[in-house]
Every structure is written in C-alpha cells, then in structure tokens.
C-alpha cells in the first residue's frame, strides 16, 4: 500500500495547478458572465498534455493513467468547475472511443482530441430519461449502407465545439441500444439554445434534434446492442472526472474557510478561536481526506479494471462519484455556514461554489442510481 505520489504524478499535478492558477483563474469571471469557454483555453491545456493524460502515446496521449488524470482535474476543479466539466466530458467521450472503438475510429478521433483541436461529447440523456437507458426512444434505422437517426438528446456538454460525439440510440430492427459516432462539424442535425442553469454557466448544455440524420454504417461503435454496455462502463470515466473536480471544489472551499476564519474577527479575536468553528474545520478536513482516498483508489484501480473488469469499474466509479460529490456538497455547505451572510454575497467565492456544489450529485447519474449500481454489483458477486 503506497500513499505517496510518483515523480510523474507530482509533475502532472504541478503542471495542472500552474495551468489552473495562471491561465484559467484570470478568465473565470468572464467565462461565467459570458457563458462561454474559449477554445484556445483547451488548446493551451492540450499543449501541456492535460487533455490526453490517460491515452496511449501512439494517439498522442501522455500515458499518465486515470490516476494521473484525476490528479490534474482536481487542480483545475479548485479553480473552475465549468472548465473541468468540459474536460471531463471530453475525456469521457475519448475514453469510450479508446476502449470500445475500432482502430480506424481511434485513429480518427483520439489524435485531434489529444491535440485539443476537438472536444468530444457523449449523448445519452433524453427528455424522458437520464437515469434509465431502457427508456431511450431515439432511433437508428438501417437503410443500405447508412443508419438514419431520429430523436432528441438533452443537456449535452461540449455540443457546441468541433469534435466527435458518441450518441446512444435504439437500433430499430433489434430494439437494442447502440452507439454511433457523429462528427459534430457535419451539418444535418439542429441544436437548441444553451440551457440557463443554476451554475457552471461556462459549460453550455444544448439539446440535439436528429431528423432523418444519415450516417455511414462504419460509424457504429462496436456492434448492435453494445450501447447499454458502453453507457454503463463508459460513464464510469465521467464519474471519475466529476469526482476529481468535486474534490478540487471541496479543497477550494476548505482553503477559503481557513482564510476567512483567521481574518474575520469578533471582539478583536479571529473567529477561529470559537470551538464551533474549529469543529467545522476539523469536519471539513476529515471529509476531504476520506474523499481523496476513495477517489485515488478508484482511479488507480480504473487503470486496469476499465479494460478488464468493467463491472467492478462501473461499481467503483458509481460509489466514488456518489460519495465524493455528496461530500463536496457538505464541505461547501460548511464553508457557507462559516461565512455567515457574507457567503451569500457575490464578492465571496463561496457563493459560486455553493451553487456549483448542489449540481454535482445530479450530474452523470443521480444519487439513487449510483447506489443501485453498487448494490447490483455487490449482489452479483455474492451469488
Ligand atoms: C451540467 C450537466 C451536464 C450534463 N452533461 C450531459 C452529457 O454530456 N450527456 C448526457 O447524455 N447527459 C448529460 N447530462 C444529463 C444528466 O446526466 C442527467 O440529467 C442525469 O443522468 C439524471 O437524469 P434525469 O435528470 O433525467 O433524472 P431522472 O432519471 O428523471 O431521475 C429523477 C429522480 O428519479 C429517481 N429515479 C429515476 N429512475 C430511478 C430508478 N430506476 N430507481 C430509483 N430512482 C430512480 C432518481 O434518483 C432521481 O431522484 C448533464 C446534466 C447536467 C446537469
């Protein structure tokens, strides 16, 4: 059992921290006000290797594993949830292609994704469901050498950027879920205006409308009926990423709390002298440490399990995402309590962090569903 970072991991962490502090931090207010992250920011991240950490060198990846990836996203999450969300969705989409795509699909999608020329998306949610893929109603109907897609996808991250997108639909002849790779630069489907949401404005969410949208048969990922498997194992990558930037968000709240309690005074003494404040600081620290341990372990195991034991990978990612996102929400809540009324003011970072923290348990699968995934896995092993 080792708890120390390797030299390479320390380097990834430092690179991401510097990128977050020097390049992202000055843009955060603009990104949130303008509801847009400039593509150049991702190109810069890619130049530093931050979009390609888990992927193989032959595709332009850094071969830093999913443990390296979460270390980087944790640092970026300390500064911007919007930027982290976009990177998370990109690495999710790229990881699905890396794990399940043909050689040709990998050659097509991974190198430009690693270079930051593309931002990948993965679309499964629909107006009727996000949690229950069995209710997916968009369809793909084979017509000769093409498939014709129809239906609506909802809340899709990175939909406005160039790049590839995995879309899960119901294949008409078999009735089974199937994934197709779509090039977002091609015309033929339409998108909504971005949704107005409570926080993370920079990470736009669009709906996509497919009406008789034709794509070649070769754009199918895997085979007919693999869609559910792609979804189940694939969103595990997303859950790791969300957990990483939730941990960063929680750390930022913890650090903001320490700063506030040592500066804010009551009767000429800093409020950190109150035992009630000390108890909250201790609770935050304890929760942070627990969240970090569960995440780092899941990310280290993911390097192997994501390829060889996808049932355990899905379980570990569900458990981690549920725990870390909820813990982040609790830690940011404590930070808000510590700030009193000042925390409600836009002059203080915790106001934004609080709005972001309540989003986290809902993204990439709600809390109940994570627990159901974990329970199903435990019971399957128990038989
Ligand atoms: C910032 C953000 C980014 C997103 N990015 C993407 C993206 O890139 N691609 C994408 O496809 N989607 C994306 N989504 C959508 C997101 O993944 C879904 O909204 C999420 O999975 C939850 O689905 P839902 O909102 O339809 O909730 P529902 O499935 O309607 O769930 C609502 C409630 O019902 C409960 N429930 C539902 N089914 C069950 C069940 N079987 N058992 C027990 N309880 C149940 C849930 O626990 C929850 O409490 C994004 C959402 C956000 C907010």
């Amino acid at each position: 059992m080792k708890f120390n970072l390797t030299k390479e991991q320390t380097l990834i962490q430092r690179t991401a921290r510097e990128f977050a502090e020097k390049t992202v931090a000055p843009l955060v207010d603009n990104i949130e006000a303008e509801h847009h992250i400039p593509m150049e920011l991702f190109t810069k991240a890619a130049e530093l290797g931050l979009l390609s950490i888990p992927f193989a060198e032959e595709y332009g990846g850094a071969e830093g594993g999913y443990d390296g990836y979460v270390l980087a996203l944790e640092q970026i999450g300390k500064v911007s949830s919007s930027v982290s969300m976009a990177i998370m969705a990109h690495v999710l989409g790229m990881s699905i292609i890396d794990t399940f795509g043909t050689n040709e699909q990998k050659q097509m999608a991974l190198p430009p994704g690693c270079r930051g020329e593309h931002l990948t998306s993965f679309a499964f949610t629909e107006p009727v469901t996000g949690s229950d893929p069995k209710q997916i109603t968009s369809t793909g109907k084979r017509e000769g050498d093409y498939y014709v897609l129809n239906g609506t996808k909802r809340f899709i991250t990175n939909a406005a950027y160039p790049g590839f997108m995995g879309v899960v639909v119901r294949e008409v002849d078999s009735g089974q879920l199937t994934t197709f790779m779509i090039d977002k630069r091609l015309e033929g489907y339409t998108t909504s205006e971005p949704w107005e949401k409570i926080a993370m404005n920079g990470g736009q969410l669009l709906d996509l409308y497919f009406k008789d949208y034709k794509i070649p048969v070769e754009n199918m990922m895997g085979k007919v009926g693999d869609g559910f498997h792609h979804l189940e194992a694939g969103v595990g990558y997303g859950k790791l990423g969300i957990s990483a930037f939730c941990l960063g968000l929680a750390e930022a709240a913890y650090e903001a709390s320490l700063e506030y309690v040592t500066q804010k005074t009551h009767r000429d003494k800093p409020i950190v002298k109150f035992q009630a404040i000390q108890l909250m600081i201790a609770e935050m620290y304890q929760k942070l440490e627990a969240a970090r341990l569960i995440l780092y372990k899941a990310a280290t195991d993911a390097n192997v399990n994501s390829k060889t034991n996808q049932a355990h990978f899905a379980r570990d990612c569900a458990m981690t995402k549920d725990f870390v996102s909820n813990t982040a929400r609790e830690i940011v809540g404590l930070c808000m309590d510590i700030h009193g009324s000042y925390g409600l003011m836009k002059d203080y970072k915790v106001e934004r962090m609080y709005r972001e923290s309540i989003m986290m348990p809902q993204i990439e699968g709600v809390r109940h569903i994570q627990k159901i995934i974990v329970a199903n896995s435990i019971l399957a092993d128990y038989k």
Side-chain angles (χ1 to χ4, degrees), residues 85 122 124-125 130-131 155-157 205 364-366 368-369 372:
M85 178 79 201
F122 186 60
F124 57 93
T125 303
S131 304
F155 300 149
I156 305 308
T157 304
L205 299 183
E364 214 66 20
V366 292
H368 295 145
I369 301 300
I372 289 168

Side-chain angles (χ1 to χ4, degrees), residues 26 55 88 98 108 134 199 209 230 280 282 383:
F55 307 113
M88 175 286 287
D98 187 38
M108 193 163 60
K134 294 205 174 73
Y209 310 113
H230 294 165
M280 284 195 275
K383 274 182 213 156

Side-chain angles (χ1 to χ4, degrees), residues 2-3 35 57 78 95 99 113 119 125 132 138 148 171 177 182 184 190 203 211 219 230 239 273 284 310 330 355:
K2 288 185 188 145
F3 290 99
H35 294 212
E57 240 178 82
K78 282 179 82 171
S95 297
T99 310
L119 275 191
T125 303
D132 181 5
S138 351
V148 180
E171 202 270 339
L177 296 183
I182 284 178
K184 289 183 280 179
T190 52
K211 187 153 187 336
N219 286 35
H230 294 165
K239 290 173 193 172
K273 296 280 177 204
M284 290 168 111
Q310 281 159 356
E330 290 171 355
R355 286 184 287 110

